[in-house]
Every structure is written in C-alpha cells, then in structure tokens.
PDB file of all heavy atoms in Angstrom:
ATOM      1  N   ARG A   1     208.303 -28.340 196.727  1.00 98.00           N
ATOM      2  CA  ARG A   1     207.466 -27.328 197.392  1.00 98.00           C
ATOM      3  C   ARG A   1     206.132 -27.168 196.690  1.00 98.00           C
ATOM      4  O   ARG A   1     205.072 -27.113 197.333  1.00 98.00           O
ATOM      5  CB  ARG A   1     208.222 -25.988 197.452  1.00 98.00           C
ATOM      6  CG  ARG A   1     207.384 -24.779 197.839  1.00 98.00           C
ATOM      7  CD  ARG A   1     206.684 -24.951 199.177  1.00 98.00           C
ATOM      8  NE  ARG A   1     205.777 -23.866 199.450  1.00 98.00           N
ATOM      9  CZ  ARG A   1     204.509 -23.803 199.055  1.00 98.00           C
ATOM     10  NH1 ARG A   1     203.981 -24.766 198.326  1.00 98.00           N
ATOM     11  NH2 ARG A   1     203.755 -22.772 199.381  1.00 98.00           N
ATOM     12  N   LEU A   2     206.162 -27.092 195.358  1.00 98.00           N
ATOM     13  CA  LEU A   2     204.922 -26.848 194.623  1.00 98.00           C
ATOM     14  C   LEU A   2     204.031 -28.082 194.539  1.00 98.00           C
ATOM     15  O   LEU A   2     202.849 -27.960 194.223  1.00 98.00           O
ATOM     16  CB  LEU A   2     205.226 -26.291 193.236  1.00 98.00           C
ATOM     17  CG  LEU A   2     205.898 -24.914 193.228  1.00 98.00           C
ATOM     18  CD1 LEU A   2     206.103 -24.430 191.807  1.00 98.00           C
ATOM     19  CD2 LEU A   2     205.100 -23.899 194.035  1.00 98.00           C
ATOM     20  N   ALA A   3     204.568 -29.250 194.837  1.00 97.00           N
ATOM     21  CA  ALA A   3     203.732 -30.450 194.904  1.00 97.00           C
ATOM     22  C   ALA A   3     202.711 -30.316 196.034  1.00 97.00           C
ATOM     23  O   ALA A   3     201.637 -30.914 195.986  1.00 97.00           O
ATOM     24  CB  ALA A   3     204.598 -31.689 195.101  1.00 97.00           C
ATOM     25  N   ALA A   4     203.047 -29.494 197.032  1.00 97.00           N
ATOM     26  CA  ALA A   4     202.134 -29.258 198.152  1.00 97.00           C
ATOM     27  C   ALA A   4     201.105 -28.172 197.849  1.00 97.00           C
ATOM     28  O   ALA A   4     200.174 -27.973 198.610  1.00 97.00           O
ATOM     29  CB  ALA A   4     202.930 -28.869 199.400  1.00 97.00           C
ATOM     30  N   GLY A   5     201.282 -27.452 196.738  1.00 97.00           N
ATOM     31  CA  GLY A   5     200.352 -26.396 196.364  1.00 97.00           C
ATOM     32  C   GLY A   5     201.083 -25.172 195.863  1.00 97.00           C
ATOM     33  O   GLY A   5     202.307 -25.081 195.978  1.00 97.00           O
ATOM     34  N   PRO A   6     200.345 -24.221 195.292  1.00 98.00           N
ATOM     35  CA  PRO A   6     200.953 -23.016 194.732  1.00 98.00           C
ATOM     36  C   PRO A   6     201.715 -22.205 195.773  1.00 98.00           C
ATOM     37  O   PRO A   6     201.443 -22.303 196.970  1.00 98.00           O
ATOM     38  CB  PRO A   6     199.757 -22.221 194.200  1.00 98.00           C
ATOM     39  CG  PRO A   6     198.647 -23.198 194.091  1.00 98.00           C
ATOM     40  CD  PRO A   6     198.898 -24.238 195.136  1.00 98.00           C
ATOM     41  N   ALA A   7     202.679 -21.410 195.300  1.00 98.00           N
ATOM     42  CA  ALA A   7     203.484 -20.574 196.189  1.00 98.00           C
ATOM     43  C   ALA A   7     203.621 -19.183 195.591  1.00 98.00           C
ATOM     44  O   ALA A   7     203.637 -19.013 194.373  1.00 98.00           O
ATOM     45  CB  ALA A   7     204.859 -21.186 196.395  1.00 98.00           C
ATOM     46  N   THR A   8     203.733 -18.201 196.466  1.00 98.00           N
ATOM     47  CA  THR A   8     203.995 -16.828 196.027  1.00 98.00           C
ATOM     48  C   THR A   8     205.485 -16.670 195.724  1.00 98.00           C
ATOM     49  O   THR A   8     206.309 -17.502 196.121  1.00 98.00           O
ATOM     50  CB  THR A   8     203.615 -15.818 197.127  1.00 98.00           C
ATOM     51  OG1 THR A   8     204.468 -16.040 198.259  1.00 98.00           O
ATOM     52  CG2 THR A   8     202.156 -15.932 197.526  1.00 98.00           C
ATOM     53  N   MET A   9     205.830 -15.573 195.064  1.00 97.00           N
ATOM     54  CA  MET A   9     207.242 -15.290 194.813  1.00 97.00           C
ATOM     55  C   MET A   9     207.999 -15.140 196.121  1.00 97.00           C
ATOM     56  O   MET A   9     209.139 -15.597 196.231  1.00 97.00           O
ATOM     57  CB  MET A   9     207.413 -14.017 193.971  1.00 97.00           C
ATOM     58  CG  MET A   9     207.341 -14.211 192.489  1.00 97.00           C
ATOM     59  SD  MET A   9     208.478 -15.427 191.799  1.00 97.00           S
ATOM     60  CE  MET A   9     210.044 -14.927 192.470  1.00 97.00           C
ATOM     61  N   ALA A  10     207.392 -14.532 197.119  1.00 97.00           N
ATOM     62  CA  ALA A  10     208.063 -14.368 198.405  1.00 97.00           C
ATOM     63  C   ALA A  10     208.373 -15.727 199.032  1.00 97.00           C
ATOM     64  O   ALA A  10     209.460 -15.931 199.588  1.00 97.00           O
ATOM     65  CB  ALA A  10     207.208 -13.526 199.347  1.00 97.00           C
ATOM     66  N   GLU A  11     207.441 -16.653 198.926  1.00 98.00           N
ATOM     67  CA  GLU A  11     207.673 -17.997 199.461  1.00 98.00           C
ATOM     68  C   GLU A  11     208.794 -18.703 198.702  1.00 98.00           C
ATOM     69  O   GLU A  11     209.659 -19.349 199.317  1.00 98.00           O
ATOM     70  CB  GLU A  11     206.393 -18.822 199.409  1.00 98.00           C
ATOM     71  CG  GLU A  11     205.323 -18.332 200.359  1.00 98.00           C
ATOM     72  CD  GLU A  11     203.970 -18.967 200.132  1.00 98.00           C
ATOM     73  OE1 GLU A  11     203.626 -19.306 198.973  1.00 98.00           O
ATOM     74  OE2 GLU A  11     203.238 -19.109 201.120  1.00 98.00           O
ATOM     75  N   LEU A  12     208.794 -18.574 197.382  1.00 98.00           N
ATOM     76  CA  LEU A  12     209.850 -19.202 196.590  1.00 98.00           C
ATOM     77  C   LEU A  12     211.200 -18.541 196.860  1.00 98.00           C
ATOM     78  O   LEU A  12     212.219 -19.231 196.991  1.00 98.00           O
ATOM     79  CB  LEU A  12     209.507 -19.151 195.103  1.00 98.00           C
ATOM     80  CG  LEU A  12     208.321 -20.012 194.679  1.00 98.00           C
ATOM     81  CD1 LEU A  12     207.980 -19.779 193.221  1.00 98.00           C
ATOM     82  CD2 LEU A  12     208.591 -21.484 194.949  1.00 98.00           C
ATOM     83  N   ARG A  13     211.209 -17.240 196.959  1.00 98.00           N
ATOM     84  CA  ARG A  13     212.447 -16.511 197.268  1.00 98.00           C
ATOM     85  C   ARG A  13     213.043 -17.026 198.577  1.00 98.00           C
ATOM     86  O   ARG A  13     214.245 -17.290 198.666  1.00 98.00           O
ATOM     87  CB  ARG A  13     212.148 -15.022 197.377  1.00 98.00           C
ATOM     88  CG  ARG A  13     213.372 -14.175 197.709  1.00 98.00           C
ATOM     89  CD  ARG A  13     212.977 -12.823 198.264  1.00 98.00           C
ATOM     90  NE  ARG A  13     212.293 -13.002 199.544  1.00 98.00           N
ATOM     91  CZ  ARG A  13     211.244 -12.309 199.944  1.00 98.00           C
ATOM     92  NH1 ARG A  13     210.735 -11.353 199.205  1.00 98.00           N
ATOM     93  NH2 ARG A  13     210.679 -12.528 201.115  1.00 98.00           N
ATOM     94  N   ASP A  14     212.205 -17.195 199.586  1.00 98.00           N
ATOM     95  CA  ASP A  14     212.668 -17.706 200.875  1.00 98.00           C
ATOM     96  C   ASP A  14     213.138 -19.155 200.755  1.00 98.00           C
ATOM     97  O   ASP A  14     214.157 -19.532 201.335  1.00 98.00           O
ATOM     98  CB  ASP A  14     211.580 -17.588 201.930  1.00 98.00           C
ATOM     99  CG  ASP A  14     211.257 -16.143 202.284  1.00 98.00           C
ATOM    100  OD1 ASP A  14     212.043 -15.232 201.942  1.00 98.00           O
ATOM    101  OD2 ASP A  14     210.201 -15.922 202.911  1.00 98.00           O
ATOM    102  N   LEU A  15     212.413 -19.962 200.002  1.00 98.00           N
ATOM    103  CA  LEU A  15     212.798 -21.355 199.774  1.00 98.00           C
ATOM    104  C   LEU A  15     214.182 -21.436 199.141  1.00 98.00           C
ATOM    105  O   LEU A  15     215.005 -22.262 199.524  1.00 98.00           O
ATOM    106  CB  LEU A  15     211.767 -22.039 198.869  1.00 98.00           C
ATOM    107  CG  LEU A  15     212.116 -23.438 198.369  1.00 98.00           C
ATOM    108  CD1 LEU A  15     211.998 -24.441 199.522  1.00 98.00           C
ATOM    109  CD2 LEU A  15     211.210 -23.834 197.215  1.00 98.00           C
ATOM    110  N   TRP A  16     214.422 -20.562 198.166  1.00 98.00           N
ATOM    111  CA  TRP A  16     215.702 -20.568 197.452  1.00 98.00           C
ATOM    112  C   TRP A  16     216.806 -19.857 198.223  1.00 98.00           C
ATOM    113  O   TRP A  16     217.979 -19.945 197.857  1.00 98.00           O
ATOM    114  CB  TRP A  16     215.537 -19.929 196.077  1.00 98.00           C
ATOM    115  CG  TRP A  16     214.574 -20.650 195.196  1.00 98.00           C
ATOM    116  CD1 TRP A  16     214.302 -21.982 195.168  1.00 98.00           C
ATOM    117  CD2 TRP A  16     213.743 -20.070 194.190  1.00 98.00           C
ATOM    118  NE1 TRP A  16     213.353 -22.266 194.216  1.00 98.00           N
ATOM    119  CE2 TRP A  16     212.992 -21.106 193.598  1.00 98.00           C
ATOM    120  CE3 TRP A  16     213.559 -18.767 193.734  1.00 98.00           C
ATOM    121  CZ2 TRP A  16     212.090 -20.889 192.569  1.00 98.00           C
ATOM    122  CZ3 TRP A  16     212.644 -18.554 192.713  1.00 98.00           C
ATOM    123  CH2 TRP A  16     211.920 -19.596 192.131  1.00 98.00           C
ATOM    124  N   GLY A  17     216.443 -19.116 199.271  1.00 97.00           N
ATOM    125  CA  GLY A  17     217.432 -18.412 200.072  1.00 97.00           C
ATOM    126  C   GLY A  17     218.146 -17.317 199.309  1.00 97.00           C
ATOM    127  O   GLY A  17     219.363 -17.161 199.421  1.00 97.00           O
ATOM    128  N   THR A  18     217.381 -16.555 198.532  1.00 97.00           N
ATOM    129  CA  THR A  18     217.975 -15.508 197.701  1.00 97.00           C
ATOM    130  C   THR A  18     217.174 -14.224 197.811  1.00 97.00           C
ATOM    131  O   THR A  18     216.261 -14.124 198.620  1.00 97.00           O
ATOM    132  CB  THR A  18     218.082 -15.992 196.233  1.00 97.00           C
ATOM    133  OG1 THR A  18     218.892 -15.091 195.497  1.00 97.00           O
ATOM    134  CG2 THR A  18     216.725 -16.146 195.586  1.00 97.00           C
ATOM    135  N   THR A  19     217.529 -13.256 197.011  1.00 96.00           N
ATOM    136  CA  THR A  19     216.813 -11.984 196.974  1.00 96.00           C
ATOM    137  C   THR A  19     215.871 -11.967 195.772  1.00 96.00           C
ATOM    138  O   THR A  19     215.983 -12.790 194.869  1.00 96.00           O
ATOM    139  CB  THR A  19     217.790 -10.808 196.855  1.00 96.00           C
ATOM    140  OG1 THR A  19     218.477 -10.921 195.599  1.00 96.00           O
ATOM    141  CG2 THR A  19     218.788 -10.799 198.001  1.00 96.00           C
ATOM    142  N   ARG A  20     214.993 -10.989 195.763  1.00 95.00           N
ATOM    143  CA  ARG A  20     214.055 -10.839 194.644  1.00 95.00           C
ATOM    144  C   ARG A  20     214.798 -10.644 193.318  1.00 95.00           C
ATOM    145  O   ARG A  20     214.351 -11.107 192.277  1.00 95.00           O
ATOM    146  CB  ARG A  20     213.116  -9.666 194.921  1.00 95.00           C
ATOM    147  CG  ARG A  20     212.002  -9.516 193.928  1.00 95.00           C
ATOM    148  CD  ARG A  20     210.974  -8.493 194.436  1.00 95.00           C
ATOM    149  NE  ARG A  20     209.929  -8.295 193.469  1.00 95.00           N
ATOM    150  CZ  ARG A  20     208.877  -9.087 193.318  1.00 95.00           C
ATOM    151  NH1 ARG A  20     208.729 -10.143 194.082  1.00 95.00           N
ATOM    152  NH2 ARG A  20     207.953  -8.825 192.414  1.00 95.00           N
ATOM    153  N   LYS A  21     215.957  -9.977 193.379  1.00 95.00           N
ATOM    154  CA  LYS A  21     216.757  -9.734 192.173  1.00 95.00           C
ATOM    155  C   LYS A  21     217.068 -11.046 191.441  1.00 95.00           C
ATOM    156  O   LYS A  21     217.065 -11.083 190.212  1.00 95.00           O
ATOM    157  CB  LYS A  21     218.061  -9.029 192.558  1.00 95.00           C
ATOM    158  CG  LYS A  21     219.013  -8.841 191.405  1.00 95.00           C
ATOM    159  CD  LYS A  21     220.296  -8.175 191.853  1.00 95.00           C
ATOM    160  CE  LYS A  21     221.279  -8.070 190.704  1.00 95.00           C
ATOM    161  NZ  LYS A  21     222.526  -7.410 191.129  1.00 95.00           N
ATOM    162  N   TYR A  22     217.335 -12.104 192.183  1.00 96.00           N
ATOM    163  CA  TYR A  22     217.653 -13.394 191.584  1.00 96.00           C
ATOM    164  C   TYR A  22     216.433 -14.307 191.498  1.00 96.00           C
ATOM    165  O   TYR A  22     216.343 -15.140 190.593  1.00 96.00           O
ATOM    166  CB  TYR A  22     218.780 -14.075 192.357  1.00 96.00           C
ATOM    167  CG  TYR A  22     220.055 -13.280 192.279  1.00 96.00           C
ATOM    168  CD1 TYR A  22     220.491 -12.535 193.355  1.00 96.00           C
ATOM    169  CD2 TYR A  22     220.794 -13.235 191.107  1.00 96.00           C
ATOM    170  CE1 TYR A  22     221.652 -11.775 193.282  1.00 96.00           C
ATOM    171  CE2 TYR A  22     221.951 -12.482 191.014  1.00 96.00           C
ATOM    172  CZ  TYR A  22     222.376 -11.758 192.108  1.00 96.00           C
ATOM    173  OH  TYR A  22     223.510 -11.001 192.016  1.00 96.00           O
ATOM    174  N   ALA A  23     215.507 -14.164 192.422  1.00 97.00           N
ATOM    175  CA  ALA A  23     214.330 -15.030 192.430  1.00 97.00           C
ATOM    176  C   ALA A  23     213.482 -14.847 191.174  1.00 97.00           C
ATOM    177  O   ALA A  23     212.960 -15.824 190.634  1.00 97.00           O
ATOM    178  CB  ALA A  23     213.490 -14.779 193.677  1.00 97.00           C
ATOM    179  N   LEU A  24     213.341 -13.613 190.706  1.00 96.00           N
ATOM    180  CA  LEU A  24     212.524 -13.379 189.506  1.00 96.00           C
ATOM    181  C   LEU A  24     213.092 -14.090 188.279  1.00 96.00           C
ATOM    182  O   LEU A  24     212.341 -14.779 187.571  1.00 96.00           O
ATOM    183  CB  LEU A  24     212.347 -11.887 189.263  1.00 96.00           C
ATOM    184  CG  LEU A  24     211.462 -11.169 190.291  1.00 96.00           C
ATOM    185  CD1 LEU A  24     211.475  -9.667 190.051  1.00 96.00           C
ATOM    186  CD2 LEU A  24     210.045 -11.704 190.244  1.00 96.00           C
ATOM    187  N   PRO A  25     214.393 -13.980 187.991  1.00 97.00           N
ATOM    188  CA  PRO A  25     214.924 -14.742 186.854  1.00 97.00           C
ATOM    189  C   PRO A  25     214.831 -16.256 187.056  1.00 97.00           C
ATOM    190  O   PRO A  25     214.586 -16.996 186.100  1.00 97.00           O
ATOM    191  CB  PRO A  25     216.381 -14.299 186.745  1.00 97.00           C
ATOM    192  CG  PRO A  25     216.491 -13.042 187.498  1.00 97.00           C
ATOM    193  CD  PRO A  25     215.385 -13.057 188.515  1.00 97.00           C
ATOM    194  N   PHE A  26     215.017 -16.725 188.304  1.00 97.00           N
ATOM    195  CA  PHE A  26     214.878 -18.161 188.561  1.00 97.00           C
ATOM    196  C   PHE A  26     213.462 -18.618 188.215  1.00 97.00           C
ATOM    197  O   PHE A  26     213.277 -19.639 187.554  1.00 97.00           O
ATOM    198  CB  PHE A  26     215.155 -18.492 190.032  1.00 97.00           C
ATOM    199  CG  PHE A  26     216.586 -18.362 190.474  1.00 97.00           C
ATOM    200  CD1 PHE A  26     216.900 -18.443 191.814  1.00 97.00           C
ATOM    201  CD2 PHE A  26     217.621 -18.158 189.574  1.00 97.00           C
ATOM    202  CE1 PHE A  26     218.212 -18.337 192.253  1.00 97.00           C
ATOM    203  CE2 PHE A  26     218.939 -18.049 190.003  1.00 97.00           C
ATOM    204  CZ  PHE A  26     219.230 -18.141 191.349  1.00 97.00           C
ATOM    205  N   ALA A  27     212.463 -17.861 188.660  1.00 98.00           N
ATOM    206  CA  ALA A  27     211.072 -18.223 188.397  1.00 98.00           C
ATOM    207  C   ALA A  27     210.765 -18.175 186.898  1.00 98.00           C
ATOM    208  O   ALA A  27     210.105 -19.076 186.372  1.00 98.00           O
ATOM    209  CB  ALA A  27     210.130 -17.302 189.163  1.00 98.00           C
ATOM    210  N   ALA A  28     211.243 -17.148 186.216  1.00 97.00           N
ATOM    211  CA  ALA A  28     211.016 -17.052 184.768  1.00 97.00           C
ATOM    212  C   ALA A  28     211.678 -18.222 184.049  1.00 97.00           C
ATOM    213  O   ALA A  28     211.113 -18.772 183.088  1.00 97.00           O
ATOM    214  CB  ALA A  28     211.549 -15.720 184.249  1.00 97.00           C
ATOM    215  N   TYR A  29     212.857 -18.612 184.497  1.00 97.00           N
ATOM    216  CA  TYR A  29     213.558 -19.754 183.899  1.00 97.00           C
ATOM    217  C   TYR A  29     212.747 -21.035 184.089  1.00 97.00           C
ATOM    218  O   TYR A  29     212.562 -21.806 183.137  1.00 97.00           O
ATOM    219  CB  TYR A  29     214.946 -19.903 184.533  1.00 97.00           C
ATOM    220  CG  TYR A  29     215.643 -21.170 184.137  1.00 97.00           C
ATOM    221  CD1 TYR A  29     216.255 -21.288 182.889  1.00 97.00           C
ATOM    222  CD2 TYR A  29     215.694 -22.262 184.991  1.00 97.00           C
ATOM    223  CE1 TYR A  29     216.887 -22.463 182.519  1.00 97.00           C
ATOM    224  CE2 TYR A  29     216.328 -23.432 184.627  1.00 97.00           C
ATOM    225  CZ  TYR A  29     216.925 -23.532 183.378  1.00 97.00           C
ATOM    226  OH  TYR A  29     217.545 -24.701 183.014  1.00 97.00           O
ATOM    227  N   LEU A  30     212.250 -21.259 185.293  1.00 98.00           N
ATOM    228  CA  LEU A  30     211.471 -22.476 185.554  1.00 98.00           C
ATOM    229  C   LEU A  30     210.175 -22.487 184.757  1.00 98.00           C
ATOM    230  O   LEU A  30     209.717 -23.554 184.327  1.00 98.00           O
ATOM    231  CB  LEU A  30     211.210 -22.619 187.052  1.00 98.00           C
ATOM    232  CG  LEU A  30     212.465 -22.878 187.893  1.00 98.00           C
ATOM    233  CD1 LEU A  30     212.122 -22.839 189.379  1.00 98.00           C
ATOM    234  CD2 LEU A  30     213.120 -24.193 187.529  1.00 98.00           C
ATOM    235  N   ASP A  31     209.590 -21.317 184.518  1.00 98.00           N
ATOM    236  CA  ASP A  31     208.428 -21.225 183.628  1.00 98.00           C
ATOM    237  C   ASP A  31     208.840 -21.615 182.207  1.00 98.00           C
ATOM    238  O   ASP A  31     208.149 -22.375 181.528  1.00 98.00           O
ATOM    239  CB  ASP A  31     207.856 -19.807 183.599  1.00 98.00           C
ATOM    240  CG  ASP A  31     207.169 -19.397 184.900  1.00 98.00           C
ATOM    241  OD1 ASP A  31     206.900 -20.258 185.751  1.00 98.00           O
ATOM    242  OD2 ASP A  31     206.913 -18.185 185.039  1.00 98.00           O
ATOM    243  N   ALA A  32     209.972 -21.075 181.742  1.00 97.00           N
ATOM    244  CA  ALA A  32     210.427 -21.299 180.364  1.00 97.00           C
ATOM    245  C   ALA A  32     210.760 -22.762 180.098  1.00 97.00           C
ATOM    246  O   ALA A  32     210.528 -23.253 178.990  1.00 97.00           O
ATOM    247  CB  ALA A  32     211.634 -20.417 180.061  1.00 97.00           C
ATOM    248  N   VAL A  33     211.300 -23.462 181.094  1.00 97.00           N
ATOM    249  CA  VAL A  33     211.652 -24.869 180.887  1.00 97.00           C
ATOM    250  C   VAL A  33     210.472 -25.802 181.144  1.00 97.00           C
ATOM    251  O   VAL A  33     210.588 -27.013 180.985  1.00 97.00           O
ATOM    252  CB  VAL A  33     212.884 -25.305 181.712  1.00 97.00           C
ATOM    253  CG1 VAL A  33     214.111 -24.511 181.305  1.00 97.00           C
ATOM    254  CG2 VAL A  33     212.632 -25.217 183.201  1.00 97.00           C
ATOM    255  N   GLY A  34     209.328 -25.232 181.538  1.00 97.00           N
ATOM    256  CA  GLY A  34     208.109 -26.015 181.678  1.00 97.00           C
ATOM    257  C   GLY A  34     207.899 -26.696 183.014  1.00 97.00           C
ATOM    258  O   GLY A  34     207.029 -27.544 183.137  1.00 97.00           O
ATOM    259  N   LEU A  35     208.665 -26.323 184.033  1.00 98.00           N
ATOM    260  CA  LEU A  35     208.443 -26.908 185.356  1.00 98.00           C
ATOM    261  C   LEU A  35     207.297 -26.211 186.069  1.00 98.00           C
ATOM    262  O   LEU A  35     206.489 -26.862 186.740  1.00 98.00           O
ATOM    263  CB  LEU A  35     209.711 -26.819 186.223  1.00 98.00           C
ATOM    264  CG  LEU A  35     209.563 -27.402 187.625  1.00 98.00           C
ATOM    265  CD1 LEU A  35     209.407 -28.921 187.556  1.00 98.00           C
ATOM    266  CD2 LEU A  35     210.732 -27.027 188.507  1.00 98.00           C
ATOM    267  N   THR A  36     207.223 -24.878 185.926  1.00 98.00           N
ATOM    268  CA  THR A  36     206.216 -24.096 186.630  1.00 98.00           C
ATOM    269  C   THR A  36     205.385 -23.271 185.666  1.00 98.00           C
ATOM    270  O   THR A  36     205.753 -23.070 184.508  1.00 98.00           O
ATOM    271  CB  THR A  36     206.879 -23.148 187.652  1.00 98.00           C
ATOM    272  OG1 THR A  36     207.752 -22.257 186.963  1.00 98.00           O
ATOM    273  CG2 THR A  36     207.649 -23.911 188.704  1.00 98.00           C
ATOM    274  N   VAL A  37     204.279 -22.789 186.192  1.00 98.00           N
ATOM    275  CA  VAL A  37     203.378 -21.901 185.457  1.00 98.00           C
ATOM    276  C   VAL A  37     202.984 -20.772 186.398  1.00 98.00           C
ATOM    277  O   VAL A  37     202.666 -21.019 187.569  1.00 98.00           O
ATOM    278  CB  VAL A  37     202.104 -22.652 185.007  1.00 98.00           C
ATOM    279  CG1 VAL A  37     201.103 -21.706 184.363  1.00 98.00           C
ATOM    280  CG2 VAL A  37     202.451 -23.787 184.071  1.00 98.00           C
ATOM    281  N   ARG A  38     203.022 -19.558 185.884  1.00 97.00           N
ATOM    282  CA  ARG A  38     202.557 -18.420 186.681  1.00 97.00           C
ATOM    283  C   ARG A  38     201.046 -18.361 186.611  1.00 97.00           C
ATOM    284  O   ARG A  38     200.448 -18.455 185.535  1.00 97.00           O
ATOM    285  CB  ARG A  38     203.157 -17.125 186.146  1.00 97.00           C
ATOM    286  CG  ARG A  38     202.778 -15.944 186.998  1.00 97.00           C
ATOM    287  CD  ARG A  38     203.465 -14.696 186.549  1.00 97.00           C
ATOM    288  NE  ARG A  38     203.028 -13.581 187.371  1.00 97.00           N
ATOM    289  CZ  ARG A  38     203.326 -12.339 187.144  1.00 97.00           C
ATOM    290  NH1 ARG A  38     204.080 -12.024 186.117  1.00 97.00           N
ATOM    291  NH2 ARG A  38     202.881 -11.394 187.931  1.00 97.00           N
ATOM    292  N   ASP A  39     200.434 -18.198 187.772  1.00 95.00           N
ATOM    293  CA  ASP A  39     198.981 -18.139 187.884  1.00 95.00           C
ATOM    294  C   ASP A  39     198.653 -16.955 188.784  1.00 95.00           C
ATOM    295  O   ASP A  39     198.527 -17.101 189.998  1.00 95.00           O
ATOM    296  CB  ASP A  39     198.464 -19.449 188.464  1.00 95.00           C
ATOM    297  CG  ASP A  39     196.950 -19.544 188.471  1.00 95.00           C
ATOM    298  OD1 ASP A  39     196.282 -18.672 187.866  1.00 95.00           O
ATOM    299  OD2 ASP A  39     196.425 -20.481 189.087  1.00 95.00           O
ATOM    300  N   GLY A  40     198.579 -15.761 188.194  1.00 94.00           N
ATOM    301  CA  GLY A  40     198.365 -14.551 188.973  1.00 94.00           C
ATOM    302  C   GLY A  40     199.576 -14.270 189.839  1.00 94.00           C
ATOM    303  O   GLY A  40     200.688 -14.164 189.351  1.00 94.00           O
ATOM    304  N   ASP A  41     199.378 -14.206 191.149  1.00 94.00           N
ATOM    305  CA  ASP A  41     200.463 -13.950 192.096  1.00 94.00           C
ATOM    306  C   ASP A  41     201.158 -15.231 192.552  1.00 94.00           C
ATOM    307  O   ASP A  41     202.018 -15.188 193.431  1.00 94.00           O
ATOM    308  CB  ASP A  41     199.928 -13.213 193.327  1.00 94.00           C
ATOM    309  CG  ASP A  41     199.529 -11.788 193.008  1.00 94.00           C
ATOM    310  OD1 ASP A  41     200.021 -11.236 192.000  1.00 94.00           O
ATOM    311  OD2 ASP A  41     198.713 -11.222 193.758  1.00 94.00           O
TER     312      ASP A  41
END
C-alpha cells in the first residue's frame, strides 16, 4: 500500500480491517521495526 504513496491511519486501519485500538499499536510496531516512518498525519 505504501509503495503507492503515504497513507493516513484511517486508510491503514481500513487496509488492515481492524479498529483504531489495534491499528495504532500495529503502526507503532511497523515504525519500530523500520518498515514505516510517521510523517505528520
């Protein structure tokens, strides 16, 4: 998904088919392992 360009948390949450409660830790994990970087929103 991100190869096509940046995504918001809402877009990633929908991609993952989960709620914000789980999407936030997923995103933080992907940042921590070096796959993604947070850039504002």
Side-chain angles (χ1 to χ4, degrees):
R1 168 57 187 87
L2 295 182
T8 64
M9 274 305 309
E11 292 169 328
L12 292 174
R13 179 199 65 219
D14 293 345
L15 172 73
W16 299 328
T18 192
T19 64
R20 187 169 178 82
K21 175 182 176 179
Y22 296 105
L24 291 174
F26 290 170
Y29 171 78
L30 293 173
D31 290 347
V33 298
L35 180 69
T36 60
V37 174
R38 184 175 178 188
D39 187 9
D41 290 338

